[in-house]
Amino acid sequence: MLPTKWLKLISAFAIVTLALAACGAPSTAQPTAAPAQPTTAPAQTGGGKLEIFSWWTNGGEADGLNAMFSIYQQKNPGVEIVNATVAGGAGTNAKTVLKTRLQGGQPPDSWQVHAGKELTAYVDAGQMEPLTQFFKEQGFDKVMPPKLLEQITYNGEIWSVPVNIHRSNVLWYNIKIFQENGLTPPKTIDDFFMVAEALKAKGIIPLAVGGKDKFETPHLFESVLLAVFGPDDYPKLFQPGADWSDLRVRQAAEIAKRMLEYSNSDRSSLGWADAAQLVLDGKAGMTIMGDWAHGYFISKGAKVGVDYGYAAAPGNDGVFMWLSDSFGLAKGAPNPEQAKAWLALCGSREGQDAFNPKKGSIPARTDADVSLYDEYLKYSIKAFGSEKLVPSVVHGAAAPEAYMTEYGNALNVFAGDLDVDAVVQALQDAAKDLK
């Protein structure tokens, strides 16, 4: 039976996000006691093939995906699963491959897409099937927070099935290094630079940053923007007509430049997981990354609270920057019945409780078995229900794909040249794509 506390927290999120939709600004959740209802069992199919397209190739994300494949095969023993993964965090490489396939009329049966603005481009291109009736048949509309349903609803239809919720703005640190040097996780930007200087003096890389996956510096920058603008003004940056000439944008760029000057010089050749590994290996003190890093650490046999610790990114205390992975159904899918069985599993309690503890994310459903989730994930579940909520731009929740591309390009160039004037101008230019 689901603990009442968890039900209260998730229900609270639903209420607060409805308020957000109304006023365009984040607020704090209020608990309710409304229980969730169980959904119907996932559909079964008699054979054939199923192609699933994603970018989950690292550690915990691959483990989580395989856990769901195992359940799918138990329920659909005659179906051959084609695991079409393309490496590259945040889907930067996968989306390029997917775009080519879709334009060529060769869609996979189902593909990974972030809930939120990201999926609207696929809908506008006529590449996805609506899932509103499917949601009702499976009962998913009864067990997912209204805000999440809002994020997957466009033009009056639901278009994808969320499988999780991630936190983007997390600082991960090496506990042994911090203890040996008498350090505590930095809460503010000023704290960060004091800790960074202390680590640098000891010959330790203060901040591990990747760059090979082409989302790491843009990811770092969104947490800096949040620290500078605060939870009320940060979401406004991604609304049509946003004012990127605000002097706080330059302030954020200057902070990001200083942060990168404390990072590893080979960041352009490392992925986000490589950066996380530097922390595990004791070569770096900190990294700022989404909680899929938690899944990566687990997959390496590391223990939270022993080998690594966690805190909100500097200046982000009390604010949960969220995103959600989901799967959609391709228009013209080669194997639609097998794909629907997959989507039924993605939205089921069984599927989400198998996937999320390994992935390092919390369930999208309100009736998950919280006893299956570890110390960090219980912390994240609590934070999700009690902290202010803002959407991630890098991971598709806040802005459409065209803007995300321009934003990412600007920050990836900045990661190499650290030119504040240039990145501020590029971000102002990118804002023209906000719709």
Side-chain angles (χ1 to χ4, degrees), residues 277-288:
Q277 188 64 46
L278 289 177
V279 175
L280 273 191
D281 292 343
K283 296 178 180 177
M286 304 175 283
T287 191
I288 295 174

Side-chain angles (χ1 to χ4, degrees), residues 77-239:
V79 179
E80 175 190 354
I81 296 177
V82 178
N83 183 15
T85 55
V86 178
T92 48
N93 300 325
K95 291 174 188 175
T96 300
V97 174
L98 178 62
K99 183 177 181 179
T100 300
R101 289 190 57 175
L102 294 177
Q103 289 178 340
Q106 297 181 321
D109 294 305
S110 179
W111 67 82
Q112 180 186 357
V113 58
H114 290 125
K117 293 282 187 178
E118 182 177 308
L119 63 78
T120 61
Y122 299 114
V123 176
D124 288 341
Q127 294 163 337
M128 301 182 82
E129 290 284 357
L131 295 171
T132 308
Q133 184 60 36
F134 177 79
F135 253 68
K136 293 179 179 177
E137 293 170 355
Q138 294 295 323
F140 294 162
D141 56 328
K142 303 290 195 302
V143 293
M144 293 190 187
K147 176 61 176 178
L148 197 52
L149 296 177
E150 175 190 303
Q151 293 295 312
I152 55 176
T153 300
Y154 181 57
N155 292 341
E157 296 277 8
I158 291 175
W159 298 93
S160 67
V161 179
V163 69
N164 69 359
I165 293 169
H166 267 302
R167 181 170 187 160
S168 166
N169 57 334
V170 186
L171 179 140
W172 307 94
Y173 62 96
N174 183 300
I175 287 180
K176 183 179 179 182
I177 288 176
F178 270 57
Q179 288 178 340
E180 289 179 348
N181 292 281
L183 300 172
T184 56
K187 282 193 172 184
T188 68
I189 295 294
D190 288 343
D191 291 344
F192 171 84
F193 288 117
M194 286 190 289
V195 170
E197 190 59 33
L199 291 171
K200 182 180 178 181
K202 294 290 185 178
I204 300 168
I205 299 168
L207 181 67
V209 178
K212 188 173 68 175
D213 293 329
K214 303 300 181 187
F215 84 99
E216 294 90 338
T217 294
H219 181 104
L220 172 67
F221 191 64
E222 69 177 10
S223 71
V224 177
L225 282 174
L226 176 58
V228 173
F229 278 80
D232 293 329
D233 286 349
Y234 163 85
K236 299 175 184 175
L237 287 168
F238 309 109
Q239 296 173 0

